[in-house]
PDB file of all heavy atoms in Angstrom:
ATOM      1  N   LYS F  12     111.928   7.579 -49.033  1.00 98.00           N
ATOM      2  CA  LYS F  12     110.444   7.442 -49.050  1.00 98.00           C
ATOM      3  C   LYS F  12     109.778   8.691 -48.532  1.00 98.00           C
ATOM      4  O   LYS F  12     110.323   9.490 -47.802  1.00 98.00           O
ATOM      5  CB  LYS F  12     110.040   6.311 -48.104  1.00 98.00           C
ATOM      6  CG  LYS F  12     110.528   4.953 -48.606  1.00 98.00           C
ATOM      7  CD  LYS F  12     110.075   3.843 -47.639  1.00 98.00           C
ATOM      8  CE  LYS F  12     110.575   2.388 -48.214  1.00 98.00           C
ATOM      9  NZ  LYS F  12     110.208   1.470 -47.270  1.00 98.00           N
ATOM     10  N   ALA F  13     108.519   8.856 -49.093  1.00 98.00           N
ATOM     11  CA  ALA F  13     107.681   9.959 -48.715  1.00 98.00           C
ATOM     12  C   ALA F  13     106.316   9.464 -48.311  1.00 98.00           C
ATOM     13  O   ALA F  13     105.824   8.533 -48.971  1.00 98.00           O
ATOM     14  CB  ALA F  13     107.588  11.006 -49.903  1.00 98.00           C
ATOM     15  N   VAL F  14     105.790  10.049 -47.175  1.00 98.00           N
ATOM     16  CA  VAL F  14     104.422   9.677 -46.710  1.00 98.00           C
ATOM     17  C   VAL F  14     103.692  10.934 -46.606  1.00 98.00           C
ATOM     18  O   VAL F  14     104.084  11.843 -45.839  1.00 98.00           O
ATOM     19  CB  VAL F  14     104.483   8.879 -45.430  1.00 98.00           C
ATOM     20  CG1 VAL F  14     102.972   8.631 -44.891  1.00 98.00           C
ATOM     21  CG2 VAL F  14     105.222   7.605 -45.528  1.00 98.00           C
ATOM     22  N   ILE F  15     102.469  10.991 -47.252  1.00 98.00           N
ATOM     23  CA  ILE F  15     101.624  12.114 -47.111  1.00 98.00           C
ATOM     24  C   ILE F  15     100.371  11.689 -46.487  1.00 98.00           C
ATOM     25  O   ILE F  15      99.632  10.813 -47.028  1.00 98.00           O
ATOM     26  CB  ILE F  15     101.305  12.724 -48.537  1.00 98.00           C
ATOM     27  CG1 ILE F  15     102.580  13.313 -49.226  1.00 98.00           C
ATOM     28  CG2 ILE F  15     100.241  13.881 -48.483  1.00 98.00           C
ATOM     29  CD1 ILE F  15     103.426  12.307 -49.905  1.00 98.00           C
ATOM     30  N   SER F  16     100.085  12.173 -45.321  1.00 98.00           N
ATOM     31  CA  SER F  16      98.870  11.917 -44.555  1.00 98.00           C
ATOM     32  C   SER F  16      97.818  12.856 -44.879  1.00 98.00           C
ATOM     33  O   SER F  16      98.013  14.113 -44.757  1.00 98.00           O
ATOM     34  CB  SER F  16      99.171  11.870 -43.042  1.00 98.00           C
ATOM     35  OG  SER F  16      98.076  11.583 -42.306  1.00 98.00           O
ATOM     36  N   LEU F  17      96.639  12.405 -45.273  1.00 98.00           N
ATOM     37  CA  LEU F  17      95.550  13.309 -45.672  1.00 98.00           C
ATOM     38  C   LEU F  17      94.321  12.904 -44.917  1.00 98.00           C
ATOM     39  O   LEU F  17      93.834  11.791 -44.975  1.00 98.00           O
ATOM     40  CB  LEU F  17      95.304  13.284 -47.210  1.00 98.00           C
ATOM     41  CG  LEU F  17      94.201  14.130 -47.707  1.00 98.00           C
ATOM     42  CD1 LEU F  17      94.411  15.658 -47.442  1.00 98.00           C
ATOM     43  CD2 LEU F  17      94.105  13.932 -49.218  1.00 98.00           C
ATOM     44  N   THR F  18      93.697  13.794 -44.113  1.00 98.00           N
ATOM     45  CA  THR F  18      92.471  13.563 -43.366  1.00 98.00           C
ATOM     46  C   THR F  18      91.271  14.258 -43.983  1.00 98.00           C
ATOM     47  O   THR F  18      90.115  13.916 -43.654  1.00 98.00           O
ATOM     48  CB  THR F  18      92.575  14.117 -41.950  1.00 98.00           C
ATOM     49  OG1 THR F  18      92.792  15.477 -42.041  1.00 98.00           O
ATOM     50  CG2 THR F  18      93.695  13.412 -41.212  1.00 98.00           C
ATOM     51  N   THR F  19      91.519  15.151 -44.922  1.00 97.00           N
ATOM     52  CA  THR F  19      90.498  15.987 -45.541  1.00 97.00           C
ATOM     53  C   THR F  19      89.991  15.448 -46.826  1.00 97.00           C
ATOM     54  O   THR F  19      90.838  15.017 -47.664  1.00 97.00           O
ATOM     55  CB  THR F  19      90.965  17.374 -45.688  1.00 97.00           C
ATOM     56  OG1 THR F  19      91.445  17.853 -44.463  1.00 97.00           O
ATOM     57  CG2 THR F  19      89.892  18.339 -46.196  1.00 97.00           C
ATOM     58  N   GLY F  20      88.733  15.496 -47.112  1.00 97.00           N
ATOM     59  CA  GLY F  20      88.176  15.117 -48.448  1.00 97.00           C
ATOM     60  C   GLY F  20      87.762  16.324 -49.192  1.00 97.00           C
ATOM     61  O   GLY F  20      88.330  17.385 -49.018  1.00 97.00           O
ATOM     62  N   LEU F  21      86.737  16.194 -50.037  1.00 96.00           N
ATOM     63  CA  LEU F  21      86.329  17.278 -50.902  1.00 96.00           C
ATOM     64  C   LEU F  21      85.678  18.411 -50.240  1.00 96.00           C
ATOM     65  O   LEU F  21      85.339  19.404 -50.842  1.00 96.00           O
ATOM     66  CB  LEU F  21      85.448  16.711 -52.006  1.00 96.00           C
ATOM     67  CG  LEU F  21      86.171  15.760 -53.031  1.00 96.00           C
ATOM     68  CD1 LEU F  21      85.200  15.220 -54.122  1.00 96.00           C
ATOM     69  CD2 LEU F  21      87.366  16.507 -53.578  1.00 96.00           C
ATOM     70  N   GLU F  22      85.500  18.321 -48.896  1.00 96.00           N
ATOM     71  CA  GLU F  22      85.019  19.491 -48.094  1.00 96.00           C
ATOM     72  C   GLU F  22      85.970  20.590 -48.161  1.00 96.00           C
ATOM     73  O   GLU F  22      85.636  21.758 -47.909  1.00 96.00           O
ATOM     74  CB  GLU F  22      84.545  19.112 -46.692  1.00 96.00           C
ATOM     75  CG  GLU F  22      85.719  18.837 -45.805  1.00 96.00           C
ATOM     76  CD  GLU F  22      86.175  17.331 -45.874  1.00 96.00           C
ATOM     77  OE1 GLU F  22      85.901  16.619 -46.767  1.00 96.00           O
ATOM     78  OE2 GLU F  22      86.991  17.074 -44.966  1.00 96.00           O
ATOM     79  N   ASP F  23      87.272  20.315 -48.486  1.00 97.00           N
ATOM     80  CA  ASP F  23      88.373  21.249 -48.594  1.00 97.00           C
ATOM     81  C   ASP F  23      89.178  20.923 -49.801  1.00 97.00           C
ATOM     82  O   ASP F  23      90.302  20.327 -49.672  1.00 97.00           O
ATOM     83  CB  ASP F  23      89.191  21.294 -47.327  1.00 97.00           C
ATOM     84  CG  ASP F  23      90.189  22.499 -47.295  1.00 97.00           C
ATOM     85  OD1 ASP F  23      90.420  23.090 -48.377  1.00 97.00           O
ATOM     86  OD2 ASP F  23      90.660  22.841 -46.277  1.00 97.00           O
ATOM     87  N   PRO F  24      88.698  21.172 -51.080  1.00 96.00           N
ATOM     88  CA  PRO F  24      89.386  20.688 -52.246  1.00 96.00           C
ATOM     89  C   PRO F  24      90.819  21.296 -52.415  1.00 96.00           C
ATOM     90  O   PRO F  24      91.636  20.652 -53.023  1.00 96.00           O
ATOM     91  CB  PRO F  24      88.461  21.014 -53.346  1.00 96.00           C
ATOM     92  CG  PRO F  24      87.553  22.060 -52.836  1.00 96.00           C
ATOM     93  CD  PRO F  24      87.422  21.852 -51.317  1.00 96.00           C
ATOM     94  N   GLU F  25      90.990  22.555 -52.013  1.00 97.00           N
ATOM     95  CA  GLU F  25      92.342  23.080 -52.081  1.00 97.00           C
ATOM     96  C   GLU F  25      93.376  22.333 -51.256  1.00 97.00           C
ATOM     97  O   GLU F  25      94.522  22.101 -51.669  1.00 97.00           O
ATOM     98  CB  GLU F  25      92.337  24.589 -51.679  1.00 97.00           C
ATOM     99  CG  GLU F  25      91.700  25.420 -52.821  1.00 97.00           C
ATOM    100  CD  GLU F  25      91.743  26.908 -52.482  1.00 97.00           C
ATOM    101  OE1 GLU F  25      92.793  27.518 -52.907  1.00 97.00           O
ATOM    102  OE2 GLU F  25      90.843  27.419 -51.788  1.00 97.00           O
ATOM    103  N   ARG F  26      93.005  21.931 -50.026  1.00 97.00           N
ATOM    104  CA  ARG F  26      93.867  21.118 -49.221  1.00 97.00           C
ATOM    105  C   ARG F  26      94.244  19.739 -49.837  1.00 97.00           C
ATOM    106  O   ARG F  26      95.316  19.326 -49.876  1.00 97.00           O
ATOM    107  CB  ARG F  26      93.273  20.900 -47.817  1.00 97.00           C
ATOM    108  CG  ARG F  26      94.188  20.236 -46.854  1.00 97.00           C
ATOM    109  CD  ARG F  26      93.561  19.996 -45.502  1.00 97.00           C
ATOM    110  NE  ARG F  26      93.217  21.327 -44.904  1.00 97.00           N
ATOM    111  CZ  ARG F  26      93.706  21.784 -43.840  1.00 97.00           C
ATOM    112  NH1 ARG F  26      94.599  21.142 -43.132  1.00 97.00           N
ATOM    113  NH2 ARG F  26      93.323  22.925 -43.368  1.00 97.00           N
ATOM    114  N   VAL F  27      93.156  19.172 -50.435  1.00 98.00           N
ATOM    115  CA  VAL F  27      93.342  17.878 -51.106  1.00 98.00           C
ATOM    116  C   VAL F  27      94.313  18.108 -52.330  1.00 98.00           C
ATOM    117  O   VAL F  27      95.224  17.309 -52.546  1.00 98.00           O
ATOM    118  CB  VAL F  27      92.010  17.334 -51.596  1.00 98.00           C
ATOM    119  CG1 VAL F  27      92.184  16.128 -52.517  1.00 98.00           C
ATOM    120  CG2 VAL F  27      91.186  16.971 -50.411  1.00 98.00           C
TER     121      VAL F  27
END
Side-chain angles (χ1 to χ4, degrees):
K12 294 178 178 179
V14 177
I15 295 83
S16 176
L17 179 60
T18 62
T19 304
L21 293 179
E22 71 277 10
D23 190 346
E25 286 184 88
R26 185 180 300 245
V27 171

